[in-house]
Amino acid sequence: MGFFDKLKETLGFDKLKEGLTKTRSAFTDKIEQIITGYRKIDEELLEEIEEAMIQADIGVHTTTRIIGEVRKTVKKEQIESPQALYEVLAQKVADMLGHEIKPLNRAAEGPTVILVVGVNGVGKTTTIGKLAFHMKQAGDKVLLAAGDTFRAAAIDQLEIWGERVGAEVIKQAEGSDPAAVVFDAVQAAKARRADVLIIDTAGRLHNKTNLMEELRKITRVISREIGGAPHEVLLVLDATTGQNAIAQAKIFQEVAGVTGVALTKLDGTAKGGVVVAISAELAMPVKIIGVGEGMNDLRLFAPEDFASALFNRDKE
Amino acid sequence: MIFEGLADKLQQTFRKLRGRGRLTEADVVEAMREVRMALLEADVNYKVVKDFVARVKERAIGQDVLESLTPAQHVVKIVNEELTALMGGTQSRIAVANNPPTVIMLVGLQGAGKTTTAGKLANLLLQQNRRPLLAAADVYRPAAIKQLQVLGEKLDIPVYSDEESKNPVRISQEAVHTAIMKGRDVVIVDTAGRLHINEELMAELQNIKQSIRPHEILLVVDAMTGQDAVTVAEHFDGQLGVDGIILTKLDGDARGGAALSIKAVTGKPIKFAGMGEKLDALEPFHPDRLASRILGMGDVLSLIEKAEQSLDLEKAQDMEKKMLRAEFTFEEFLEQLRQVRKLGPLDQLLGMLPGMGNLKKMPGMEVNDKEMKRVEAIILSMTKKERRNPQLIDGSRRRRIAKGSGTQVQDVNRLLKQFVEVKKMMKQLQSMQKSGKKGKFKLPFMR
């Protein structure tokens, strides 16, 4: 049984909803408040919904697009009641996110290499800790690579996580070449027959050309040592980030070939709406979400649940 | 460049406006619609945008503006003033205690950059001849204490920490006592990142506040934050009473939503901005200068300040003398190059010159740091003799230099040619000074 079957089994999707409670209540309450104030669907109502969506960081562009589609559907299906708007909205958002749950990629044989990238402070190391924990639970042999050789004490931070979850950390001294660390780690993963190698990298702003080149080099080293690797390049995005996340996703995709998004810090009041734009514009699936600081606070991302959690009125 | 996306959009809008001689009310309304979109795409808070657009519209549609000779200029001026006002007008400084130590507490969400900022702030204070002490009160995040210790070591500043203790209130108190004992006049308390809705952890901050009575509570905010920035700031301010904001990661390409919204909503000024990964990359925040940079009006003041801080005045004067005596060799050229590079990344510098922000987008005008590095490499591949006497450099020397610097012979040729041009200009300058007449000297682009 694969890691994700196990994860699904142990966590179940109710947990996703639980994690999204705050997201949902902040946003749905708002939508509900707006909708109950109206007797029919008119421009004013749509405009207010538009406002609420922009406030959820969905972005002007994507919001305009969604509202445009909603308008068409309302006209075509002759929807009159404001209450029915919920479902239409949720449907449109789910359309953009893609309907299926997308598990993390696995190597057909040999170690699966997961490269974790992102700008500073989004929660890369914490996400790696949680991921390693779950994979260990599922019976995988996990190896971690301390590829953040820049930030003070970043290696120590990963080591503490390694101890917590019982995963070995491959490292060199602070300030050394991250590509060299990654090379060592890949060799170790092969030699020790690890099932999964998770590589931490330094946070880098996507507009810093030299740092992005460094990342390109890291990816090159990995794929040279293991054909088809990295199997998963996870871009970690902070849910509090606004429209800048789109620029981040674009450039990281171009440089490192991102295969999935990990959306963190969804336990705050931020709505993370920018992932709707990212999924729609870049065809980049959200795969996992972070909903807290504990080892267990990691969930698979279920687009339909996310969308209906955003819009669904039913409070279970 | 800072806030590039927003700057581009706004400047585009106003260029269109300038293209028309007279303005009608409809022109202003259309321009404001574009401004609204640009601001929303830049993550400026929804309500702030609404108010801002309404205010500008009201002022711009006033009689005297539309009927003035340069109405577009007037509109830009109004936008500039309102942008400046949004960000808080002029620079705000931090409070200093009458009775040292001054206690500064850094708070914020996870990943905003508190620990790095603590190090940078300590460095900045050090430059101002203060004697800071860092306090490691983040007992939750793995290796947070270690991170602060490493920063303290790099800066040679004491760090108070207690790895046994899980009590941030105690740690903060002890840190202040230690500062008094050691005669340190500023204490910077690094607290753990927390969610503004986590009641337990917010209560912890209140307890720290009560026990050490900080003179400044600074909220550290990631400049890339979206619409939530305002919610976060309001919560922290409501529960803790924040004195100011430090914006981090402004060297990214964030469009400035947080910078433009937080002051407007909470009334708390932005005091510093983080501009890079290095420890010296924290700058005082100047709303007026930033506003004019956003509108493409440049920021010459900051450029001058930068030059004063980073350039070696004596060296510069010495260089000037040498240049005028036409003793200018590749050695001086190299020295000059390095001085300019000390000022910071070129694109940041260009953004400070009026109208120059768009320069780098023009073909053939890519003034980048890479190019400067290449020139440096070429010069470094010359022998000392060659640097002092470039005439020596013949064909085979050129090939050797190209090889040594990893460039092409054409690159070497180009540099040699440029160098001759520069020397010619020096000579002209010199003869102009000697003859004492002004205005004789002409730059190639002057008529």
Side-chain angles (χ1 to χ4, degrees):
Chain A
M1 189 162 57
F3 155 59
F4 278 105
D5 298 323
K6 187 106 178 208
L7 188 62
K8 258 192 254 179
E9 199 176 79
T10 48
L11 297 174
F13 285 111
D14 293 341
K15 292 269 187 164
L16 167 75
K17 288 183 190 158
E18 185 192 299
L20 287 173
T21 319
K22 281 176 206 111
T23 310
R24 182 187 46 213
S25 55
F27 187 61
T28 350
D29 285 357
K30 181 121 201 190
I31 295 276
E32 177 157 11
Q33 226 177 25
I34 294 169
I35 287 182
T36 43
Y38 285 84
R39 269 199 232 130
K40 60 177 177 35
I41 300 172
D42 58 13
E43 276 311 300
E44 208 183 318
L45 170 60
L46 288 175
E47 213 165 279
E48 275 204 51
I49 291 176
E50 203 175 86
E51 263 181 44
M53 288 170 78
I54 287 171
Q55 283 186 329
D57 284 323
I58 292 176
V60 192
H61 186 72
T62 312
T63 299
T64 317
R65 202 170 131 193
I66 294 174
I67 293 286
E69 305 250 326
V70 168
R71 240 187 215 119
K72 263 189 247 161
T73 309
V74 165
K75 207 172 168 192
K76 202 169 113 203
E77 292 172 17
Q78 298 189 326
I79 297 167
E80 280 173 8
S81 129
Q83 308 296 323
L85 266 184
Y86 276 121
E87 264 172 52
V88 182
L89 277 167
Q91 196 56 39
K92 299 296 173 202
V93 171
D95 285 351
M96 290 195 163
L97 288 169
H99 292 264
E100 274 116 61
I101 295 164
K102 293 171 194 75
L104 295 187
N105 303 331
R106 293 294 294 233
E109 56 176 336
T112 296
V113 180
I114 303 176
L115 179 67
V116 181
V117 300
V119 300
N120 316 62
V122 287
K124 284 178 293 300
T125 311
T126 309
T127 302
I128 290 170
K130 294 177 193 170
L131 205 53
F133 171 72
H134 282 299
M135 293 187 151
K136 284 284 285 188
Q137 294 284 96
D140 281 325
K141 179 170 180 184
V142 181
L143 216 57
L144 303 177
D148 182 354
T149 57
F150 180 79
R151 207 201 68 204
I155 300 169
D156 302 72
Q157 190 180 344
L158 191 70
E159 277 193 304
I160 293 172
W161 272 106
E163 265 164 45
R164 269 187 206 169
V165 305
E168 198 187 337
V169 178
I170 307 295
K171 57 160 188 174
Q172 286 181 15
E174 202 176 299
S176 53
D177 177 11
V181 179
V182 168
F183 178 85
D184 280 0
V186 173
Q187 300 309 328
K190 283 198 282 194
R192 292 172 214 179
R193 299 182 183 282
D195 298 306
V196 185
L197 167 66
I198 311 178
I199 300 170
D200 191 14
T201 61
R204 63 197 76 224
L205 292 174
H206 49 290
N207 61 340
K208 306 260 157 133
T209 325
N210 50 345
L211 292 179
M212 293 312 279
E213 283 309 313
E214 179 189 274
L215 184 60
R216 210 189 283 273
K217 183 175 164 196
I218 291 173
T219 347
R220 221 164 35 225
V221 167
I222 299 170
S223 52
R224 199 179 57 212
E225 297 307 313
I226 299 182
H231 308 90
E232 186 75 66
V233 180
L234 270 184
L235 173 68
V236 183
L237 285 181
D238 181 334
T240 51
T241 310
Q243 300 309 299
N244 188 258
I246 300 174
Q248 293 173 21
K250 264 188 199 150
I251 298 175
F252 274 102
Q253 187 175 43
E254 188 199 306
V255 171
V258 174
T259 53
V261 169
L263 187 63
T264 60
K265 310 187 195 176
L266 265 176
D267 45 336
T269 49
K271 286 87 179 174
V274 72
V275 294
V276 179
I278 288 174
S279 297
E281 283 177 34
L282 302 175
M284 192 187 283
V286 183
K287 293 194 169 175
I288 48 179
I289 59 172
V291 291
E293 290 195 302
M295 286 200 275
N296 256 315
D297 297 326
L298 186 77
R299 309 279 182 269
L300 281 172
F301 179 77
E304 290 194 335
D305 285 2
F306 183 83
S308 64
L310 279 176
F311 294 104
N312 197 356
R313 272 183 311 152
D314 298 335
K315 288 186 181 145
E316 51 267 69
Chain B
M1 192 192 119
I2 200 166
F3 298 170
E4 194 165 320
L6 179 61
D8 281 354
K9 288 238 166 79
L10 290 183
Q11 287 171 33
Q12 212 180 322
T13 302
F14 293 128
R15 219 171 299 139
K16 253 193 273 169
L17 217 52
R18 281 200 194 96
R20 303 165 194 232
R22 299 191 62 81
L23 290 186
T24 64
E25 208 174 304
D27 291 335
V28 175
V29 170
E30 170 61 20
M32 282 307 122
R33 204 188 59 84
E34 283 173 27
V35 169
R36 175 180 171 272
M37 291 292 274
L39 290 173
L40 283 178
E41 272 174 44
D43 291 321
V44 181
N45 180 266
Y46 203 90
K47 287 189 209 98
V48 174
V49 174
K50 238 182 182 170
D51 293 349
F52 178 82
V53 169
R55 247 193 336 269
V56 173
K57 228 192 254 176
E58 195 192 301
R59 286 183 60 189
I61 290 177
Q63 285 275 320
D64 35 338
V65 173
L66 291 185
E67 278 170 19
S68 74
L69 284 173
T70 51
Q73 220 83 306
H74 262 152
V75 176
V76 176
K77 186 169 163 267
I78 292 168
V79 172
N80 187 20
E81 283 167 11
E82 292 291 342
L83 272 181
T84 310
L86 264 195
M87 292 185 287
T90 50
Q91 187 198 349
S92 319
R93 295 166 197 280
I94 49 175
V96 177
N98 293 329
N99 232 346
T102 301
V103 178
I104 301 171
M105 191 172 153
L106 298 183
V107 300
L109 297 180
Q110 290 96 339
K114 284 174 297 304
T115 310
T116 306
T117 301
K120 288 179 180 175
L121 187 59
N123 186 38
L124 194 74
L125 292 166
L126 211 56
Q127 309 286 308
Q128 297 167 4
N129 294 321
R130 310 285 293 277
R131 294 163 45 78
L133 173 131
L134 291 162
D138 180 355
V139 297
Y140 305 104
R141 180 167 60 93
I145 296 173
K146 179 80 191 290
Q147 188 182 349
L148 200 66
Q149 284 168 342
V150 172
L151 293 174
E153 243 166 68
K154 278 186 190 158
L155 294 167
D156 199 16
I157 288 173
V159 176
Y160 179 84
S161 63
D162 180 355
E163 264 148 293
E164 302 304 307
S165 171
K166 287 280 160 219
N167 184 348
V169 179
R170 270 301 292 276
I171 292 174
S172 307
Q173 280 172 330
E174 289 297 325
V176 175
H177 288 157
T178 310
I180 295 169
M181 302 289 288
K182 289 192 174 176
R184 312 298 297 190
D185 57 6
V186 188
V187 182
I188 302 170
V189 183
D190 177 32
T191 65
R194 65 201 72 216
L195 284 171
H196 49 293
I197 46 171
N198 186 325
E199 284 166 22
E200 197 184 320
L201 286 179
M202 289 306 282
E204 179 193 285
L205 285 184
Q206 287 164 350
N207 289 339
I208 297 178
K209 180 187 174 182
Q210 259 163 24
S211 72
I212 59 172
R213 307 250 157 227
H215 304 88
E216 283 274 341
I217 299 181
L218 296 174
L219 176 66
V220 181
V221 180
D222 183 334
M224 294 180 283
T225 314
Q227 298 282 332
D228 206 41
V230 163
T231 319
V232 172
E234 277 178 326
H235 271 263
F236 270 96
D237 189 33
Q239 288 175 60
L240 209 59
V242 164
D243 299 295
I245 313 288
I246 298 183
L247 270 184
T248 59
K249 308 178 204 173
L250 261 179
D251 51 327
D253 59 357
R255 288 186 174 173
L260 291 169
S261 311
I262 291 184
K263 167 67 177 52
V265 171
T266 62
K268 303 297 156 139
I270 300 166
K271 297 197 170 178
F272 298 99
M275 298 294 298
E277 303 217 10
K278 301 212 176 95
L279 280 171
D280 60 358
L282 186 75
E283 296 176 4
F285 187 79
H286 299 276
D288 40 352
R289 299 182 189 180
L290 189 55
S292 64
R293 262 197 249 182
I294 292 176
L295 295 174
M297 293 149 77
D299 175 11
V300 181
L301 272 179
S302 294
L303 187 61
I304 294 171
E305 278 178 13
K306 251 186 180 239
E308 280 173 353
Q309 270 169 24
S310 4
L311 296 186
D312 187 331
L313 198 64
E314 250 170 61
K315 262 190 189 165
Q317 281 169 345
D318 189 42
M319 177 107 60
E320 196 187 327
K321 266 186 221 153
K322 274 191 182 157
M323 281 163 110
L324 288 177
R325 268 186 273 137
E327 276 172 24
F328 191 67
T329 69
F330 269 115
E331 306 238 288
E332 276 79 31
F333 193 79
L334 185 65
E335 181 56 40
Q336 207 178 29
L337 203 69
R338 286 179 170 160
Q339 292 263 356
V340 173
R341 280 184 57 190
K342 258 202 238 163
L343 288 175
L346 269 179
D347 58 334
Q348 274 188 23
L349 294 183
L350 280 180
M352 293 180 193
L353 291 173
M356 295 291 262
N358 291 318
L359 195 67
K360 60 182 163 161
K361 289 197 193 98
M362 281 152 65
M365 281 304 283
E366 292 134 33
V367 207
N368 56 33
D369 296 284
K370 232 183 185 166
E371 180 61 34
M372 287 179 83
K373 262 192 200 152
R374 191 152 60 185
V375 169
E376 195 176 339
I378 294 176
I379 300 177
L380 286 173
S381 297
M382 297 175 184
T383 63
K384 280 219 167 111
K385 230 177 178 175
E386 286 166 345
R387 281 183 224 167
R388 280 187 215 126
N389 190 5
Q391 274 121 330
L392 281 179
I393 307 177
D394 57 10
S396 89
R397 284 179 192 252
R398 284 174 202 211
R399 276 195 297 279
R400 192 207 73 238
I401 291 168
K403 230 180 195 173
S405 56
T407 57
Q408 304 291 319
V409 177
Q410 291 97 295
D411 297 323
V412 180
N413 285 342
R414 199 179 329 127
L415 180 64
L416 287 170
K417 215 172 138 194
Q418 280 169 352
F419 184 74
V420 172
E421 296 282 315
V422 172
K423 275 200 97 158
K424 244 190 236 162
M425 266 172 55
M426 301 287 162
K427 280 231 173 82
Q428 263 183 305
L429 199 68
Q430 194 187 13
S431 68
M432 181 186 87
Q433 282 218 336
K434 268 186 193 154
S435 64
K437 278 183 212 157
K438 274 182 186 156
K440 191 183 163 194
F441 174 61
K442 279 182 182 167
L443 286 168
F445 55 82
M446 285 180 171
R447 284 213 206 167

